[in-house]
Amino acid sequence: VMEFDYRRAALLITKGESGRALTILQPYVFRPQANVRMQSDYVDAHFRLGHYMQAVLAADQFWNGKYESIPTYGLARLADSLFKMQQYQRAQDIYEVVLKREPQNFFAGLSRAYCLAMSNRDEDALAGYVACYKLRPDKEQLLIEEANALLGKDKKHLASAIYAYLQTESKNN
C-alpha cells in the first residue's frame, strides 16, 4: 500500500495537486521504512505550496545534513526553500552539492550566484553568473533580470559588471 500511495502522490505533484500529495504522504514519510524519494517528494510538495519552513524542517528531520543518498531534486527543493527564506549561506552550500552532481544545472548555478551576491562575495557571484551565461547563452534575458534585481538590493557594482559582461558577449557574437 505504501508503494502504491507513494506513486500516486508523485503523480499528483506533477499534476499540480501538491496538497493532496501531502495528505497521502504524511502517514508514511516519518516512518523508518520511508525511502528518500518519498521524503524528497514530501519536501517538493511543501515547496510547491509555498510551505518553505515546513519543507526545511522535514528535510532536516529526514536527512540530518547527510545528503549523499538523497535524490538531487530533493536537495534542490531544500536549497530552493532555504533560498526563499533568505537563508542564503545554507542554500548556497546545498546548491554546491547539486552542482557537483549536475554541473549543467543552470538554475542551481543561477541561484548559487545570487546566494553569493547576498553573502557579499561579488567576485564569486560574477563568476557564477558568467558560468551560467556560458552554459545557457539563450537565457541572457534571465541574467539581465537578475542584474536588475541586484540593483534593488544595493548591488549596483555587481549588476554593472553583469551588464558589462553581457554587453561584451553581445558584441562578440
Side-chain angles (χ1 to χ4, degrees):
V1 172
M2 185 171 79
E3 183 66 25
F4 173 78
D5 281 346
Y6 158 66
R7 291 180 189 281
R8 188 166 56 125
L11 180 63
L12 287 169
I13 292 169
T14 62
K15 300 274 186 200
E17 297 186 47
S18 295
R20 288 182 59 202
L22 285 175
T23 302
I24 293 167
L25 292 170
Q26 182 65 41
Y28 303 113
V29 291
F30 294 100
R31 293 182 183 176
Q33 64 268 33
N35 66 50
V36 293
R37 291 191 113 30
M38 182 182 292
Q39 293 168 340
S40 293
D41 284 350
Y42 188 78
V43 170
D44 184 23
H46 272 301
F47 174 83
R48 289 174 187 240
L49 290 169
H51 304 161
Y52 309 124
M53 179 66 77
Q54 291 92 328
V56 170
L57 291 173
D60 287 347
Q61 187 172 352
F62 297 149
W63 308 322
N64 196 27
K66 296 177 182 141
Y67 304 131
E68 299 81 31
S69 65
I70 309 308
T72 304
Y73 76 93
L75 290 180
R77 284 305 194 211
L78 170 57
D80 293 344
S81 295
L82 290 162
F83 182 94
K84 291 286 192 178
M85 294 170 54
Q86 299 180 0
Q87 292 186 17
Y88 297 120
Q89 182 58 54
R90 191 158 169 229
Q92 174 196 323
D93 293 343
I94 297 170
Y95 284 129
E96 287 175 2
V97 173
V98 170
L99 288 166
K100 281 181 186 167
R101 294 179 185 183
E102 296 179 357
Q104 305 298 314
N105 188 323
F106 173 84
F107 291 104
L110 189 65
S111 296
R112 178 184 168 274
Y114 189 85
C115 289
L116 288 164
M118 293 300 102
S119 299
N120 294 317
R121 294 178 53 194
D122 290 357
E123 287 183 26
D124 294 330
L126 179 59
Y129 287 121
V130 167
C132 286
Y133 178 81
K134 288 179 178 177
L135 188 63
R136 295 286 305 270
D138 61 309
K139 297 286 186 187
E140 179 182 21
Q141 185 59 42
L142 192 54
L143 291 168
I144 292 169
E145 291 170 17
E146 191 87 357
N148 292 342
L150 289 168
L151 285 174
K153 297 287 187 180
D154 201 27
K155 293 286 188 180
K156 293 178 181 83
H157 179 72
L158 178 57
S160 177
I162 295 168
Y163 295 137
Y165 173 78
L166 293 174
Q167 185 176 26
T168 301
E169 287 300 307
S170 202
K171 287 179 183 176
N172 291 338
N173 293 331

